[in-house]
């Protein structure tokens, strides 16, 4: 059994890093894993996506037509991947950049305003962690503790001061996914002691 | 050593360093650039030579010169850049100096694109440069294999005074996987008895690819051929999956072999007796093993990311003793496992004949699938 996850959106949204975080966490948990970007002559603002496959056994193809889960950060990615997720799979969509609702009813879905949740935390760059938190809530492929430990171990040292905020972003995403509503966005910015 | 999450290109670069490469010459090109980038960082740090040449033509000739000193040297590039290196590679082959080259193949011909492809199989396996020579060609399918085969490439090149090429593709170069790097080899290997490092106090040695008298060139050609026959006898490598009781054998190398592995596993789950042979050395080619399989299996399926270049080598090995079918995607398109699974099912459930050209029937199926 293997779990395939596609993360897709614009360049600059932290998609490749979010995928790498999953890959590191899977490796640290002793699983087999592949991370592959859809690389192209692309830059910030262009399309960016990657596929992560997590498995207990040797992984064959690193890309799949129909993933078990998709994390879509914008409308073009939503349009592209909504039809492709396996029936019964998980689709997490970023409501901040998507102006329509789900067309499929055979998936576990979460539509969350990840940009706004991240901005309320004080840093728009947390969007990817908010999305990832929602995914981990709905797709029990890796534990939160494992991902948090990995974040601690692999976040580049220049970003270490953002660790607490990353944890909080994961938590907010998960909470939103769990309750289906936005309950924890404060009116004022949260401050972190780091 | 612990497993690390490594990108294929960087893994191959670091593996070369650990294997004791002392000089790297190259020119950036996607999807190989991270390899050169890593070298530009690490080689100066270690006091070894890194040089970004003005072109691939210059780079390969610098490799040629450096190889004559008996040091471990290399270059890396991607398809169009490797085309530019062909003249130099022929000179290197003619001079009988060991060189490692990593080719991260992309879509072509021409400028093509930067997507993963296997379109350069014929160029790398069956020639490239002019004249009568063979290169050893290793085809990794994973990051770990990319590391292991890069290290092996240096050993084989040195052992046979030959060119050893790691034939990767954009997927292998760009993918990240957990993998283990070897320990750093010390640089204390003895100077080979053919190397030129200054002749003070000894008789001078000459390294050249020029043999003006045809009789001398013929002797050289015979030496190269005999050395190649030794390589054929000793260095064939491949990996087998589920072949013990297989009625269908899928054959694919590198990334296509890996996609085929997913398809074979899915077909096994439905009870189809299918296995996979994944050549690790595409040159020398595992012809003997394929010939053996020809008396075991009902049919072969060759899967490639080109129009059927290795297909010809498989057909030669099978020699008409079993049907050989083909499936390929082109121009930088990587097949999904379900495409190869469909082919396996077709072969399993429909009668096979030896009639017709597998390339023509595949192209018909591919075009109808694209409509």
């Amino acid at each position: 059994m293997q779990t395939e996850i596609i993360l897709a959106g614009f360049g600059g949204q932290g998609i490749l890093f979010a995928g790498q975080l999953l890959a590191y966490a899977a490796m640290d948990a002793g699983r087999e894993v592949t991370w592959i970007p859809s690389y192209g002559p692309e830059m910030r603002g262009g399309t960016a996506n990657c596929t992560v496959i997590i498995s207990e056994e040797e992984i064959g193809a690193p890309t799949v037509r129909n993933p078990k889960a998709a994390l879509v950060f914008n409308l073009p990615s939503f349009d592209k991947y909504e039809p492709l997720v396996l029936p019964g799979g998980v689709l997490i969509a970023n409501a901040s950049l998507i102006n329509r609702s789900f067309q499929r009813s055979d998936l576990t879905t979460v539509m969350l305003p990840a940009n706004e949740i991240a901005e309320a935390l004080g840093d728009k760059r947390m969007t990817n962690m908010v999305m990832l938190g929602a995914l981990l809530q709905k797709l029990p492929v890796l534990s939160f503790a494992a991902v948090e430990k990995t974040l601690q171990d692999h976040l580049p040292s220049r970003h270490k001061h953002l660790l607490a905020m990353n944890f909080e972003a994961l938590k907010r995403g998960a909470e939103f996914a769990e309750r289906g509503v936005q309950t924890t966005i404060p009116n004022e910015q949260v401050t972190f002691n780091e | 050593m612990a497993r690390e999450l490594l990108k294929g290109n960087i893994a191959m670069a670091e593996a070369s360093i650990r294997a004791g490469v002392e000089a790297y010459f190259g020119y950036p090109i996607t999807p190989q650039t991270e390899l050169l980038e890593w070298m530009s960082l690490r080689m100066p740090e270690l006091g070894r030579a890194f040089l970004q040449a003005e072109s691939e033509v210059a780079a390969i000739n610098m490799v040629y010169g450096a190889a004559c000193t008996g040091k471990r040297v290399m270059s890396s590039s991607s398809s169009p850049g490797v085309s530019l290196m062909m003249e130099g590679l022929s000179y290197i082959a003619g001079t009988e100096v060991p060189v490692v080259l990593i080719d991260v193949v992309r879509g072509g011909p021409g400028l093509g694109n930067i997507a993963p492809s296997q379109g350069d199989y014929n160029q790398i396996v069956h020639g490239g440069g002019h004249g009568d020579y063979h290169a050893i060609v290793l085809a990794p399918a994973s990051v770990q294999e990319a590391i292991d085969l890069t290290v092996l490439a240096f050993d084989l090149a040195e052992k046979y005074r030959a060119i050893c090429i790691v034939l990767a593709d954009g997927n292998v170069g760009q993918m990240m996987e957990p993998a283990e790097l070897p320990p750093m080899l010390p640089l204390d290997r003895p100077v080979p008895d053919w190397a030129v490092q200054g002749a003070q106090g000894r008789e001078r040695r000459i390294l050249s690819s020029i043999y003006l008298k045809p009789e001398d060139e013929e002797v050289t050609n015979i030496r190269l051929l005999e050395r190649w026959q030794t390589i054929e006898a000793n260095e064939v490598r491949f990996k087998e999956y589920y072949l013990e009781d297989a009625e269908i054998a899928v054959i694919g190398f590198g990334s296509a072999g890996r996609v085929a592995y997913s398809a074979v596993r899915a077909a096994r789950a439905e009870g189809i007796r299918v296995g996979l042979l994944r050549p690790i050395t595409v040159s020398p080619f595992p012809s003997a093993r394929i010939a053996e399989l020809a008396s075991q299996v009902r049919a072969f399926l060759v899967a490639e990311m080109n129009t059927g270049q290795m297909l010809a080598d498989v057909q030669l090995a099978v020699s008409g003793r079993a049907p050989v079918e083909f499936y390929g995607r082109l121009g930088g398109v990587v097949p999904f496992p379900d495409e190869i699974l469909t082919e396996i099912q077709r072969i399993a459930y429909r009668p096979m004949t030896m009639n017709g050209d597998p390339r023509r029937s595949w192209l018909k199926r591919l075009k109808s699938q694209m409509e």
Side-chain angles (χ1 to χ4, degrees):
Chain A
M1 263 310 281
Q2 63 178 35
T3 305
E4 311 91 1
I5 305 155
I6 286 180
L7 301 92
F10 295 130
Q13 287 184 301
I15 283 149
L16 301 185
F17 178 74
Q20 284 177 4
L21 182 60
L22 283 172
Y24 276 116
M27 177 181 71
D28 293 347
R31 319 273 285 279
E32 293 303 321
V33 63
T34 57
W35 172 95
I36 191 162
S38 148
Y39 65 94
E42 292 156 350
M43 55 184 74
R44 198 170 295 264
T47 62
N49 71 60
C50 64
T51 302
V52 177
I53 301 182
I54 300 172
S55 176
E56 303 299 334
E57 50 185 8
E58 186 178 345
I59 296 167
T63 51
V64 288
R65 190 189 306 278
N66 303 111
K68 173 86 181 150
L71 214 56
V72 294
F73 286 65
N74 63 13
L75 184 60
S77 305
F78 190 42
D79 290 342
K80 181 172 178 187
Y81 290 108
E82 187 183 17
L84 294 179
V85 178
L86 278 174
V90 176
L91 178 57
I92 313 290
N94 181 14
S96 308
L97 295 172
I98 290 170
N99 59 3
R100 67 168 177 84
S101 52
F102 294 101
Q103 281 166 355
R104 288 182 61 177
S105 54
D106 60 342
L107 303 175
T108 300
T109 55
V110 179
M111 178 71 82
L112 77 169
N115 288 32
E116 282 80 10
I117 296 174
E119 275 160 25
L121 279 171
D123 196 329
K124 205 170 138 185
R125 290 175 297 172
M126 295 297 136
T127 304
N128 57 351
M129 292 299 119
V130 173
M131 293 285 285
L132 204 55
L135 176 79
L136 293 172
Q137 172 63 35
K138 294 297 181 190
L139 184 79
V141 63
L142 291 165
S143 71
F144 273 94
V147 174
E148 286 185 354
K149 166 110 183 30
T150 297
L151 201 50
Q152 195 146 18
D153 295 344
H154 297 284
L155 197 69
S157 53
R158 65 182 190 281
H159 293 323
K160 275 276 151 56
H161 64 286
L162 296 171
L163 202 56
M165 200 189 270
N166 274 278
F167 288 166
E168 186 61 23
L170 280 169
K171 203 176 112 205
R172 295 282 170 88
E175 279 173 4
F176 190 98
E178 192 179 7
R179 297 177 198 167
V181 284
Q182 213 164 325
T183 56
T184 51
I185 294 191
N187 293 323
E188 61 216 77
Q189 286 201 349
V190 190
T191 47
F192 293 98
N193 303 316
E194 181 77 28
Chain B
M1 292 208 184
R3 295 201 311 171
E4 300 167 63
L5 191 66
L6 293 168
K7 188 173 234 197
N9 280 335
I10 290 169
M12 288 188 281
E14 183 61 28
S16 305
I17 288 167
R18 305 278 176 104
V21 73
E22 289 190 72
Y24 173 96
F25 308 90
Y27 187 82
I29 180 169
T30 311
Q32 165 277 160
T33 298
E34 295 91 350
L35 205 168
L36 173 138
E37 255 173 11
W38 188 258
M39 286 298 194
S40 73
L41 177 81
R42 289 279 285 147
M43 294 293 273
E45 197 174 272
L46 293 163
R48 306 184 192 178
F50 168 87
L51 200 149
Q52 182 174 321
E54 68 269 34
S55 75
E56 289 86 349
V57 176
I60 197 67
N61 282 290
M62 291 173 186
V63 166
Y64 179 21
C68 291
T69 67
K71 302 280 187 189
R72 290 196 157 182
V73 299
M74 71 176 295
S75 186
S76 63
S77 189
S78 178
S79 309
V82 172
S83 287
L84 283 169
M85 294 182 175
M86 283 302 160
E87 183 205 34
L89 285 171
S90 172
Y91 278 63
I92 289 165
T95 309
E96 301 167 67
V97 287
V99 159
V100 169
L101 172 67
I102 297 175
D103 183 1
V104 184
V105 179
R106 59 187 241 181
L111 197 57
N113 57 46
I114 60 175
S117 164
Q118 299 181 326
D120 299 352
Y121 178 91
N122 276 341
Q123 180 192 40
I124 297 301
V125 169
H126 291 302
H130 60 278
D132 222 334
Y133 75 95
H134 295 268
I136 302 168
V137 184
L138 310 173
S142 67
V143 173
Q144 186 65 60
E145 235 173 45
I147 291 170
D148 298 344
L149 296 183
T150 298
V151 174
L152 178 66
F154 283 98
D155 293 338
L156 292 178
E158 207 163 78
K159 183 170 174 189
Y160 297 104
R161 291 179 62 176
I163 297 165
C164 190
I165 302 175
V166 178
L167 184 66
D169 60 54
N171 262 8
V172 173
Q174 295 296 322
M175 184 169 48
M176 288 178 94
E177 285 185 302
E180 201 177 324
L181 286 160
M184 185 76 90
L185 265 186
L187 301 180
D188 55 3
R189 290 169 313 104
V191 179
D193 60 10
W194 47 262
V196 289
Q197 295 189 351
Q200 206 161 30
R202 64 156 170 82
E203 209 175 317
R204 73 177 188 152
R205 300 167 185 158
I206 293 174
L207 288 171
S208 169
S209 73
I210 188 167
Y211 297 94
L212 284 178
K213 278 170 64 187
E215 292 77 11
D216 293 344
E217 183 70 78
E218 189 176 44
V219 168
T220 302
N221 275 236
I222 288 170
R223 185 169 62 245
L224 289 177
L225 176 61
E226 285 179 339
R227 193 178 297 154
W228 180 248
Q229 287 170 338
T230 309
I231 293 169
E232 282 184 318
N234 296 333
E235 306 298 349
V236 171
R237 288 169 170 82
F238 49 85
K239 231 178 144 180
E240 297 192 355
Y241 307 82
Y242 311 111
L243 274 174
E244 307 76 40
D245 65 340
E247 293 176 338
I248 301 167
V250 181
I251 303 181
F253 71 94
S255 285
R258 209 177 151 141
V259 177
Y261 174 63
S262 292
V264 164
R265 222 163 37 185
R268 276 275 165 184
E270 346 180 321
I272 300 175
R273 280 162 62 180
V274 57
L276 170 69
L277 184 138
R278 185 161 62 75
I280 303 291
T281 52
V282 280
S283 170
F285 194 66
S287 306
R289 179 61 184 135
I290 292 169
E292 213 173 81
L293 284 170
S295 53
Q296 175 192 325
V297 301
R298 227 161 33 74
F300 289 88
L301 171 66
V302 176
E304 295 182 78
M305 282 142 57
N306 59 42
T307 59
Q309 298 186 15
M310 184 182 70
L311 170 66
D313 289 328
V314 174
Q315 284 173 319
L316 201 61
V318 173
S319 291
R321 283 177 295 142
V324 180
E325 292 285 298
F326 177 70
Y327 187 78
R329 293 303 302 261
L330 314 173
V333 177
V334 180
F336 284 118
D338 59 358
E339 296 169 56
I340 297 173
L341 177 60
T342 304
E343 291 291 304
I344 295 171
Q345 289 164 335
R346 185 178 61 79
I347 294 167
Y349 301 130
R350 296 217 201 133
M352 284 289 112
T353 69
M354 308 278 282
N355 303 331
D357 177 354
R359 242 188 231 102
R360 284 184 183 274
S361 48
W362 150 71
L363 194 54
K364 229 164 101 182
R365 294 194 303 278
L366 180 69
K367 284 174 79 176
S368 71
Q369 169 192 323
M370 285 161 78
E371 272 159 18

